[in-house]
């Protein structure tokens, strides 16, 4: 079943209008493009799509289907605007925002502080001069240069994130990984790096990660419903445990477009966003030219409009199963996608079809 919701302009959602600037029209109809793709079967597994332009919802679709909650099967779900959905590793990018908020409040250490020093209970690891060189900045950019493998399926204990979840002490497990090179050299995707960042936030703020996120990010954005899954040790998963609705995910993108401001209030320091979205590492994920900032992907797409063909910068967060958040500042455009193709080698196909066949062809600068 496919349901369509038009642009929101009712009293409940008037806050979507606050960032309106310029024209918001598409140069071609995304509805027709979406329907054609859905009929062709190329959107298999898609559950929700929300697109914002000029601060308002300009496209919204939901498709009922089977889903999972952090690996546990759910019955067929009737998706709608407020239905929570796993966003998996998009969680990492949101944790990056939380660190910036905590840093501005003086609650967490500066980025060039040694990360092992934030865990004094592991004094034996702290005495290792090689580990002392690894900083919080290296964790935020996934350039720890420590052994970590998430290429194995997330159902396989050989996957380092699964091994971390099963370890008797997840933080010792992460910090005790073999060092492969000088930190800062090369990018290794690591849920462990984000687990460390999440724990540093908790220790610095004196709050659980979900409570801190609710107070400083979700409540100010009007995000009332969220869930943060905890591991078997009771620790909230900073790497992949967050559940949000597609609309809420889109709000995260919109506040980024607005330089961290929401309804006249600074929620995320603009200076942190500017720093977060500077390329710090080249990433190899099969997407040419992709870089990594502070737990966010950074790229550029060739777009043709009335001025010709040019590169259009974007900021993105990716999660297992096809979860996506794209922010295109030059188009004042946000695209949030939730899908249920977890662990599939083809999980990238449906989000790519939406981006390349539905929305990018429909956008134009005015």
């Amino acid at each position: 079943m496919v349901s369509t919701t038009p642009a929101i302009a009712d009293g409940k959602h008037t806050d979507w209008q606050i960032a309106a600037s310029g024209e918001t029209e598409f140069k071609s109809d995304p509805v027709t493009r979406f329907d054609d793709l859905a009929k062709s079967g190329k959107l298999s597994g898609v559950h929700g799509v929300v697109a914002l332009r000029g601060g308002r919802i300009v496209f919204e679709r939901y498709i009922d289907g089977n889903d999972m909650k952090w690996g546990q099967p759910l019955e067929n779900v009737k998706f709608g605007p407020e239905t929570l959905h796993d966003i998996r590793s998009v969680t990492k990018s949101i944790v990056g925002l939380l660190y910036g908020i905590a840093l501005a409040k003086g609650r967490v250490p500066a980025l060039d502080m040694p990360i092992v020093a934030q865990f004094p209970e592991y004094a034996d690891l702290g005495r290792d001069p090689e580990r002392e060189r690894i900083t919080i900045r290296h964790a935020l950019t996934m350039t720890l240069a420590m052994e970590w493998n998430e290429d194995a399926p997330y159902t396989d204990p050989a996957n380092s994130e699964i091994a971390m979840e099963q370890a008797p002490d997840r933080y010792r497990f992460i910090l005790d990984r073999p060092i492969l090179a000088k930190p800062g050299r090369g990018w290794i995707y690591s849920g462990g790096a984000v687990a460390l960042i999440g724990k540093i936030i908790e220790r610095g703020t004196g709050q659980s990660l979900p409570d801190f996120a609710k107070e400083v990010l979700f409540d100010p954005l009007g995000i009332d419903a969220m869930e943060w899954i905890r591991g078997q040790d009771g620790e909230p998963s900073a790497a992949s445990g967050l559940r949000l609705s597609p609309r809420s995910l889109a709000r995260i993108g919109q506040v980024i477009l607005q330089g961290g401001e929401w309804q006249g209030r600074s929620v995320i320091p603009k200076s942190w966003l500017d720093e977060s979205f500077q390329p710090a590492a080249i990433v190899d994920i099969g997407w040419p030219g992709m870089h990594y900032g502070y737990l966010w992907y950074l790229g550029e797409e060739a777009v043709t409009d009335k001025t010709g063909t040019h590169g259009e910068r974007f900021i993105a967060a990716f999660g297992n199963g096809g979860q996506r958040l794209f922010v295109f500042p030059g188009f004042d455009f946000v695209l949030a996608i939730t899908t249920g193709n977890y662990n599939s080698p083809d999980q990238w196909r449906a989000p790519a079809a939406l981006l390349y066949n539905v929305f990018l062809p429909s956008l134009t600068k005015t």
Side-chain angles (χ1 to χ4, degrees), residues 225-291:
M226 69 92 172
E227 184 177 3
W228 208 311
I229 305 296
R230 294 176 180 269
Q232 61 186 10
D233 57 0
E235 294 288 310
S237 172
S240 60
L242 192 54
R243 288 171 58 80
L244 293 172
S245 72
R247 280 189 182 178
S248 295
L249 186 56
R251 283 177 184 243
I252 301 293
Q254 185 62 34
V255 77
I256 288 171
L257 273 184
Q258 295 168 194
E261 291 194 1
W262 193 264
Q263 295 184 324
R265 171 184 175 184
S266 177
V267 177
I268 308 164
K270 183 178 184 300
S271 59
W272 178 256
L273 294 178
D274 292 342
E275 188 175 346
S276 295
F277 304 145
Q278 292 299 311
I282 298 172
V283 302
D284 182 10
I285 58 170
W287 196 318
M290 188 70 73
H291 288 77

Side-chain angles (χ1 to χ4, degrees), residues 28-81:
S28 60
D29 183 10
V31 174
T32 300
R33 290 175 179 272
F34 182 97
D35 290 342
D36 288 345
L37 275 178
K39 290 174 184 176
S40 73
K42 293 181 179 179
L43 298 184
S44 176
V46 171
H47 294 153
V49 181
V50 175
L52 310 180
R53 200 166 190 209
R56 67 188 183 100
I57 296 176
V58 291
F59 183 97
E60 186 170 25
R61 288 290 185 95
Y62 298 98
I63 304 175
D64 300 347
N66 294 325
D67 197 21
M68 303 186 82
K69 181 178 177 179
W70 223 47
Q72 299 302 311
L74 300 175
E75 295 181 2
N76 188 275
V77 178
K78 181 178 177 59
F79 289 100

Side-chain angles (χ1 to χ4, degrees), residues 98 198-199 201-216 226 228 230 234-236:
L98 294 175
K199 193 61 175 179
I201 293 172
E202 289 193 330
R203 290 183 171 183
T205 63
Q207 296 175 271
S208 72
L209 195 59
D211 285 349
F212 182 69
K214 184 176 187 301
E215 177 185 314
V216 302
M226 69 92 172
W228 208 311
R230 294 176 180 269
E235 294 288 310

Side-chain angles (χ1 to χ4, degrees), residues 107-303:
R107 307 290 290 278
V108 292
L111 302 193
D112 291 322
M113 294 294 291
I115 201 163
V116 72
Q118 313 314 312
F119 297 85
E121 63 268 39
Y122 310 127
D124 57 323
L125 299 178
R127 289 191 292 268
D128 181 347
E130 285 194 302
R131 291 182 202 282
E132 281 188 314
R133 296 187 302 181
I134 301 171
T135 67
I136 293 168
R137 190 187 307 275
H138 293 136
L140 284 165
T141 57
M142 292 196 185
T143 58
L144 296 169
M146 300 173 75
E147 182 183 84
W148 198 268
N149 175 24
E150 292 192 36
D151 292 335
Y154 287 93
T155 53
D156 187 340
N159 183 299
S160 295
E161 184 172 332
I162 301 305
M164 172 186 71
E165 290 294 337
Q166 296 175 348
D169 182 337
R170 70 174 62 211
Y171 303 110
R172 172 173 280 279
F173 175 84
I174 302 161
L175 291 167
D176 198 26
R177 294 302 86 204
I179 296 173
L180 304 179
K182 183 179 178 180
R185 300 281 180 86
W187 183 82
I188 300 175
Y189 187 77
S190 172
V194 190
L196 297 175
I197 293 296
K199 193 61 175 179
I200 293 169
I201 293 172
E202 289 193 330
R203 290 183 171 183
T205 63
Q207 296 175 271
S208 72
L209 195 59
D211 285 349
F212 182 69
K214 184 176 187 301
E215 177 185 314
V216 302
L217 184 62
F218 298 140
D219 282 354
L221 296 187
I223 295 174
D224 299 321
M226 69 92 172
E227 184 177 3
W228 208 311
I229 305 296
R230 294 176 180 269
Q232 61 186 10
D233 57 0
E235 294 288 310
S237 172
S240 60
L242 192 54
R243 288 171 58 80
L244 293 172
S245 72
R247 280 189 182 178
S248 295
L249 186 56
R251 283 177 184 243
I252 301 293
Q254 185 62 34
V255 77
I256 288 171
L257 273 184
Q258 295 168 194
E261 291 194 1
W262 193 264
Q263 295 184 324
R265 171 184 175 184
S266 177
V267 177
I268 308 164
K270 183 178 184 300
S271 59
W272 178 256
L273 294 178
D274 292 342
E275 188 175 346
S276 295
F277 304 145
Q278 292 299 311
I282 298 172
V283 302
D284 182 10
I285 58 170
W287 196 318
M290 188 70 73
H291 288 77
Y292 207 64
Y294 292 166
L295 301 178
W296 287 86
Y297 293 93
L298 313 170
E300 191 173 276
E301 282 297 332
V303 173

